[in-house]
Amino acid sequence: MTDLPSLRQERRLITSIPGPRSLELMARKREAVADAVANTWPVFAARAGGGIIEDVDGNHLIDLGSGLGVTVVGNAAQAVVQRLTAQASRFTHTAFSVTPYEGYVKVAEALAELTPGDHAKKSVLFNSGAEAVENAVKIARVHTGRRAVVVFDHAYHGRTNLTMALTAKTMPFKQGFGPFAPEIYRVPVAYPYRWPTGPDNCAREAAEQAIDQITKQVGADNVAAIVIEPLLGEGGFIEPAAGFLPTIRQFAADNGIVFVADEIQSGFCRTGQWFACEDEGIVPDLIVTAKGIAGGLPLAAVTGRAEIMDSVHAGGLGGTYGGNPVACAAALGAIATMKELDLTAKARKIETVLKSRLALLAEKFDIIGDIRGRGAMIAIELVRDRTTKEPNPEATAAVARACHQAGVLVLTTGTYSNVIRFLPPLVIGEDLVREGLDVLENSFAQAV
Ligand SMILES: *Cc1c(COP(=O)(O)O)cnc(C)c1O
């Protein structure tokens, strides 16, 4: 069994969306919650599980967003709920750096087993993805004695000061929030759809340009870390052209640079592997995980080569809540569920369902310029015209809005705000994915 057996796995609309209870709560939210916290969808949740979110008006909505890619195992997986409930009734907190507990150690052991590479590995746990990325940079700096960090076009690494500097897109993530941390250098990524000389040359030329900029403008021996998402998330589900990642990885190895894979969105079965970098046989020095790791509880990790992790002085890494025992119990339940339900295979099945249907849609609607991604991390990029590839954020917003009104939660993303991303929970029923795609097709017909 996956989760909430009582929550019927079907789309059901009994009010307009948003319904009256959601509208009431929205009015209270506007009074009490800062406006900067915007909502994709003004619909309040009552229960959620499998591929369904039940709202406070009793509508059943199809979830193709999994709470920003978090609920890989669903929103209330039994193994997660049981373990975290049992842990919460024993103790909710001691601070691992004051009084340690076994759950933290077990999560670190699981990460050593699951992440790529058979070298000795160690982990440190945090509360959020951004916090973990920052700590990966701290570790790389101490290990190398260097300062510079290289990141890529279209990257997203979080919203804290250092990770805003690592993130590419200004609006809404960085606008007005500077000054940003220094010693961050951005270089090209192999984005096949938009590479000026076409997708075939993309991997080689992008890698050449990136390496040229690093060596000429930064100096390879000033670089502590290269940080990259093996499949870019907020930037628009960009899959770097095949060959790009291995070239950059090798460059890092040749120059004593710590290669950091940010697998916060792409990790934990999402792309049809435990981690997306496995598809090109990449073994990162450090891998950063969060989102899918703990079935919705806040938890993040940096896992890496023992000798790199251990270059930091005792007491140098930590935080009050990092590796909270309830979150660790949830992570162990989530990981057990991923194994038991073979969710890597499930992700690959979802890819087949999504991509075959999206290909048919692209025959009908020529504003679909590109279909890409892997596993249950699939996107379409919308353009005004397939020749110019001019981004079409208006149509993107209109299609998403039509989906929402029909009870299907899709998310938009991308540097040009012209990408619709499909990021369902991996435990979603295939029938719900198909129905979501029916709704998507109607939404295209309506909106364009
Ligand atoms: C979401 C995300 C982050 C930031 O994680 P938070 O938990 O929101 O701080 C960093 N990197 C990637 C690739 C992400 O998708």
Side-chain angles (χ1 to χ4, degrees), residues 56-119:
V56 288
D57 292 288
N59 299 297
H60 278 193
L61 313 161
I62 297 177
D63 180 12
L64 301 182
S66 52
L68 299 173
V70 168
T71 53
V72 165
V73 298
N75 315 65
Q78 273 182 15
V80 172
V81 174
Q82 277 163 7
R83 289 183 192 230
L84 79 84
T85 313
Q87 176 56 48
S89 65
R90 285 195 297 272
F91 62 93
T92 56
H93 177 81
T94 59
F96 187 75
S97 57
V98 178
T99 311
Y101 37 86
E102 188 179 0
Y104 190 118
V105 178
K106 280 186 165 167
V107 170
E109 288 167 351
L111 286 164
E113 174 209 319
L114 295 170
T115 54
D118 47 19
H119 49 276

Side-chain angles (χ1 to χ4, degrees), residues 116 228-231 260-268 271 273-278 282 284 287-292:
I228 190 164
E229 299 155 86
L231 201 165
V260 182
D262 177 349
E263 292 248 16
I264 288 171
Q265 193 158 160
S266 57
F268 284 104
T271 63
Q273 300 265 23
W274 276 92
F275 298 97
C277 59
E278 291 171 53
I282 304 279
I287 182 166
V288 186
T289 52
K291 294 195 166 106

Side-chain angles (χ1 to χ4, degrees), residues 26 48 76 80 141 170 172 216 247 251 347 349 386 410 426 430:
M26 223 35 216
V80 172
R141 283 179 169 160
T170 291
K216 298 298 183 304
T247 307
F251 173 77
K349 188 74 216 287
R386 280 185 185 164
V410 294
L426 301 191
E430 233 175 87

Side-chain angles (χ1 to χ4, degrees), residues 21-327:
R21 282 284 296 137
S22 276
L23 288 172
E24 262 174 58
L25 285 167
M26 223 35 216
R28 279 172 50 201
K29 183 228 157 188
R30 267 194 297 275
E31 294 301 313
V33 179
D35 289 348
V37 186
N39 302 102
T40 304
W41 210 16
V43 166
F44 277 74
R47 299 194 299 167
I52 291 291
I53 296 171
E54 184 182 80
D55 74 9
V56 288
D57 292 288
N59 299 297
H60 278 193
L61 313 161
I62 297 177
D63 180 12
L64 301 182
S66 52
L68 299 173
V70 168
T71 53
V72 165
V73 298
N75 315 65
Q78 273 182 15
V80 172
V81 174
Q82 277 163 7
R83 289 183 192 230
L84 79 84
T85 313
Q87 176 56 48
S89 65
R90 285 195 297 272
F91 62 93
T92 56
H93 177 81
T94 59
F96 187 75
S97 57
V98 178
T99 311
Y101 37 86
E102 188 179 0
Y104 190 118
V105 178
K106 280 186 165 167
V107 170
E109 288 167 351
L111 286 164
E113 174 209 319
L114 295 170
T115 54
D118 47 19
H119 49 276
K121 291 175 210 156
K122 292 193 174 185
S123 289
V124 53
L125 304 183
F126 300 99
N127 303 297
S128 71
E131 191 189 0
V133 172
E134 289 227 22
N135 278 277
V137 170
K138 285 159 64 174
I139 294 163
R141 283 179 169 160
V142 170
H143 178 71
T144 57
R146 305 170 180 179
R147 295 288 165 262
V149 179
V150 170
V151 289
F152 293 82
D153 287 333
H154 309 288
Y156 183 85
H157 299 292
R159 295 170 177 263
T160 56
N161 187 266
L162 177 64
T163 59
M164 276 193 293
L166 303 177
T167 290
K169 191 178 178 180
T170 291
M171 199 58 193
F173 306 124
K174 303 164 72 165
Q175 182 63 34
F177 298 142
F180 302 112
E183 286 298 315
I184 310 293
Y185 301 90
R186 191 173 309 286
V187 299
V189 73
Y191 183 174
Y193 182 63
R194 293 194 177 275
W195 195 254
T197 57
D200 296 341
N201 302 318
C202 176
R204 186 178 49 78
E205 290 180 5
E208 277 170 14
Q209 289 180 19
I211 289 170
D212 188 63
Q213 290 180 19
I214 297 167
T215 49
K216 298 298 183 304
Q217 298 179 25
V218 192
D221 53 8
N222 294 319
V223 180
I226 295 177
V227 183
I228 190 164
E229 299 155 86
L231 201 165
L232 282 74
E234 306 300 304
F237 284 18
I238 299 164
E239 284 180 274
F244 179 77
L245 287 174
T247 307
I248 299 296
R249 204 278 162 263
Q250 188 58 46
F251 173 77
D254 293 344
N255 290 279
I257 299 168
V258 177
F259 183 90
V260 182
D262 177 349
E263 292 248 16
I264 288 171
Q265 193 158 160
S266 57
F268 284 104
C269 307
R270 175 58 65 187
T271 63
Q273 300 265 23
W274 276 92
F275 298 97
C277 59
E278 291 171 53
D279 283 318
E280 286 190 276
I282 304 279
V283 178
D285 297 313
L286 302 180
I287 182 166
V288 186
T289 52
K291 294 195 166 106
I293 191 174
L297 275 283
L299 188 70
V302 179
T303 302
R305 292 181 192 280
E307 72 274 17
I308 297 179
M309 299 295 290
D310 284 342
S311 44
V312 180
H313 47 281
L317 303 173
T320 304
Y321 294 112
N324 169 274
V326 180

